[in-house]
Amino acid sequence: MPLIKNTYGKGRVRVMRIHRDGDRHEVSQLNVKAMIEGDFARAYTEADNSTSVSTDTIKNVVNVVARENIGLCPEEFCQVLAKKYLDSYPQVTSVAVSAHETKWSRLSFGGKPHPHGFVLDSNGKPTVEVSATRGGGSTLTSGMDGFTFMKSTQSGWENYYKDPYTTIPPTNDRMCATSMVASWKWSGKPASYPAANAKILATLLEVFATTYSPSVQNSLYRMGEAVLAAVPEISEISMACPNIHYLLVNLSAFGLDNKNELFLPTDEPHGQIECTVGRG
């Protein structure tokens, strides 16, 4: 039976590029699919892999091209990537590269754009919960589910407990990202619930982005403190934050360094950090 058509490659190759222009960072997070066609029919029909490029190699080429082209926009990056496959492998006759971009918007505070703080576009789902009894008692809680934000530097993890199972190295410069579930209990009625909710989110983001984070735990506590100081009508705030990991890609096998410029975005497994901060 004839083999009518064949193509193969690598999908869901996730890369986060950070272009550093002094203190100002530009971030580009892509989910890449690279598919090749060419002289590969024998791998299907004759179990002959002699012309086949490993899919792991196809993934490695994505990372190498990403490292060598940190500042290119997605359109230019995909064009350079396609050309790299054609230039590298004469048995390839055509390449199809597609990329989906995760859009991050730069945070601003006091009308000034922040150099390394970002928030996910189309972000978060506001929540409200009311509990009421026939006797007249009630509680009101507002919050936000899936509120995602990050900073590309000014986060660390050092001086932690170590034992034979510890493998993570200490660092004082890492990316920090989370998709927060937060809720706050009202003890009084503000002049405007929407305005107060907006102030809570703005305060959370400002503390997160503008201060050094020795741990997610410490950042959450300080964020909660600041919110309670800024909005007197709430009695406590609870935050649950997965520590969404961006793993530094090791490119030493290709003779390339990686000075916190290229990361592998991964959402599982993730650290889960939770706390409630109240007035005491």
Side-chain angles (χ1 to χ4, degrees):
M1 294 184 182
L3 178 67
I4 297 174
K5 182 178 176 62
N6 73 87
T7 183
Y8 77 101
K10 202 75 164 181
R12 300 192 67 181
V13 183
R14 294 178 288 180
V15 293
M16 166 66 87
R17 296 175 296 155
I18 299 178
H19 181 241
R20 298 168 182 257
D21 183 10
D23 291 335
R24 182 182 173 89
H25 294 181
E26 301 285 347
V27 299
S28 175
Q29 181 173 335
L30 299 176
N31 189 325
V32 179
K33 180 181 180 182
M35 302 292 289
I36 58 177
E37 293 187 37
D39 182 17
F40 307 119
R42 284 170 290 170
Y44 293 83
T45 61
E46 301 173 32
D48 179 357
N49 298 328
S50 60
T51 62
S52 296
V53 181
S54 298
T55 62
D56 188 67
T57 300
I58 294 172
K59 176 262 295 179
N60 289 340
V61 171
V62 175
N63 286 328
V64 168
V65 173
R67 171 63 186 86
E68 293 177 337
N69 298 275
I70 290 294
L72 288 185
C73 69
E75 289 81 3
E76 293 171 330
F77 169 74
C78 288
Q79 291 178 74
V80 171
L81 179 58
K83 185 175 185 300
K84 180 72 170 180
Y85 290 119
L86 292 171
D87 290 346
S88 300
Y89 306 109
Q91 67 271 43
V92 173
T93 57
S94 66
V95 180
V97 175
S98 60
H100 291 84
E101 184 175 11
T102 299
K103 292 291 292 180
W104 295 92
S105 299
R106 187 177 302 278
L107 290 169
S108 294
F109 303 107
K112 183 179 179 181
H114 194 266
H116 58 255
F118 303 87
V119 64
L120 189 70
D121 275 4
S122 303
N123 198 16
K125 297 179 180 179
T127 63
V128 177
E129 183 175 343
V130 176
S131 297
T133 65
R134 191 171 297 279
S138 67
T139 61
L140 175 63
T141 303
S142 300
M144 183 66 72
D145 190 355
F147 188 59
T148 304
F149 47 95
M150 75 164 181
K151 54 185 176 181
S152 52
T153 188
Q154 289 295 300
S155 175
W157 179 243
E158 300 179 283
N159 303 317
Y160 45 85
Y161 182 83
K162 300 180 179 68
D163 66 16
Y165 306 107
T166 303
T167 58
I168 187 172
T171 180
N172 61 7
D173 185 7
R174 64 174 182 171
M175 292 189 65
C176 185
T178 189
S179 180
M180 172 183 282
V181 178
S183 62
W184 42 92
K185 290 185 178 180
W186 298 99
S187 55
K189 183 177 180 179
S192 165
Y193 282 111
N197 288 333
K199 189 172 186 179
I200 289 169
L201 293 179
T203 302
L204 291 170
L205 289 174
E206 184 167 5
V207 174
F208 173 82
T210 62
T211 62
Y212 177 75
S213 173
S215 66
V216 176
Q217 290 90 328
N218 181 255
S219 285
L220 289 188
Y221 178 75
R222 291 185 291 105
M223 290 158 68
E225 277 190 316
V227 164
L228 290 170
V231 182
E233 294 86 2
I234 66 171
S235 59
E236 66 180 47
I237 179 170
S238 297
M239 294 162 284
C241 289
N243 188 359
I244 301 173
H245 297 298
Y246 286 79
L247 307 178
L248 199 68
V249 179
N250 184 354
L251 299 172
S252 59
F254 314 109
L256 297 172
D257 63 5
N258 186 5
K259 298 178 180 179
N260 284 352
E261 293 176 306
L262 182 67
F263 296 83
L264 169 64
T266 178
D267 54 10
E268 56 185 29
H270 61 243
Q272 182 73 20
I273 316 298
E274 303 182 5
C275 75
T276 299
V277 184
R279 297 192 181 276

